Amino acid sequence: MSESASRLPFIVFGYGSLIFKPPPHTVKKTPGFLKGYVRRFAQKSHDHRGTPEKPGRVVTLIHKEDWDAFSGSDPFPEEDVVWGVAYTIDFAYESEVREYLDYREKDGYTMEKLDIYGIDPHDGSESVIIQNAYCYVGRNDNPSFIGSEPLPALARTIWESVGPSGPNKDYLYELVKAVKDVSPDAHDSYLSVLEAAVRQQDEPLGSKSQVLPGD
């Protein structure tokens, strides 16, 4: 038996920028979702969508129970589900991709293992389709975690912030579009409301967002 046949594949789940900017050397993409988590713009970005002096905001995963404990009243419905994409990486490039992702997610993110769920197209039942996929999570004890912010203030920060990878608002707009493209079942009220609040900031200036490469 070859070494690659005996090893478990390196699978990483993307729920933020990895959806619209996938890792290199991907051999398979599997749409799926998580249970027990929420996706929130609760992480500062000093290196991609902001600067050390004026950090932007990017998404992280938070255990639903933890978010309920320190976010106050979150007005978004319980049925919102964190959809994303699980990427299977070519064995030959596993070390290279791990290093790439560790550097890309260096601003407060920690690698964890999570189960990925899917929906049976025939009967609509839910089940685990991938066990122990890797996922980068910004835990609430990391220095870049900012927690819950009032929506108007969060929208303003995202609209104003710019970093080496481009405007913070482009990150949001790309993420909203990418999540909708993942699955017809993918709906996220939080992202939709936040996108509308940020786009309202564009209207007085008639500005148009330009998509730039990067995180």
Side-chain angles (χ1 to χ4, degrees):
M1 182 180 291
S2 67
E3 180 184 357
S4 60
S6 62
R7 288 165 51 197
L8 292 175
F10 176 49
I11 302 176
V12 61
F13 181 76
Y15 60 90
S17 65
L18 282 178
I19 306 179
F20 59 85
K21 187 189 176 189
H25 308 298
T26 295
V27 296
K28 184 179 180 182
K29 300 178 182 180
T30 307
F33 62 92
L34 305 176
K35 287 190 173 185
Y37 289 86
V38 294
R39 169 176 37 212
R40 294 292 184 263
F41 274 80
Q43 185 85 352
K44 294 179 183 178
S45 178
H46 305 88
D47 57 349
H48 285 297
R49 297 296 177 167
T51 63
E53 298 76 24
K54 190 174 179 56
R57 300 290 186 268
V58 289
V59 292
T60 187
L61 290 179
I62 306 127
H63 288 279
K64 182 66 169 61
E65 295 80 3
D66 291 340
W67 188 249
D68 289 342
F70 59 73
S71 69
S73 58
D74 192 320
F76 300 96
E78 294 284 339
E79 62 266 22
D80 276 358
V81 176
V82 181
W83 278 88
V85 179
Y87 299 98
T88 303
I89 305 301
D90 189 327
F91 278 114
Y93 297 96
E94 179 178 336
S95 295
E96 177 184 324
V97 174
R98 281 179 181 266
E99 290 181 7
Y100 164 80
L101 290 173
D102 284 346
Y103 180 80
R104 176 171 164 177
E105 309 295 341
K106 67 183 184 297
D107 193 6
Y109 287 89
T110 301
M111 186 181 281
E112 295 186 3
K113 288 184 177 181
L114 304 173
D115 289 338
I116 312 301
Y117 290 79
I119 298 177
D120 189 300
H122 302 293
D123 61 14
S125 62
E126 300 176 355
S127 62
V128 175
I129 56 174
I130 299 174
Q131 291 184 318
N132 294 323
Y134 290 97
C135 186
Y136 286 86
V137 177
R139 296 173 180 168
N140 58 23
D141 59 353
N142 84 82
S144 294
F145 186 80
I146 194 167
S148 179
E149 299 178 275
L151 190 71
L154 175 59
R156 189 70 184 181
T157 296
I158 292 173
W159 186 77
E160 292 178 341
S161 298
V162 179
S165 294
N168 200 173
K169 62 182 180 180
D170 286 349
Y171 171 99
L172 169 63
Y173 298 162
E174 283 289 285
L175 177 58
V176 172
K177 180 180 183 301
V179 169
K180 290 177 181 177
D181 291 343
V182 165
S183 168
D185 298 296
H187 175 71
D188 194 311
S189 299
Y190 170 81
L191 290 181
S192 297
V193 171
L194 183 57
E195 179 194 25
V198 175
R199 288 193 183 278
Q200 283 184 348
Q201 306 290 323
D202 281 335
E203 291 175 2
L205 299 178
S207 61
K208 294 185 179 179
S209 180
Q210 179 182 3
V211 176
L212 300 179
D215 188 71

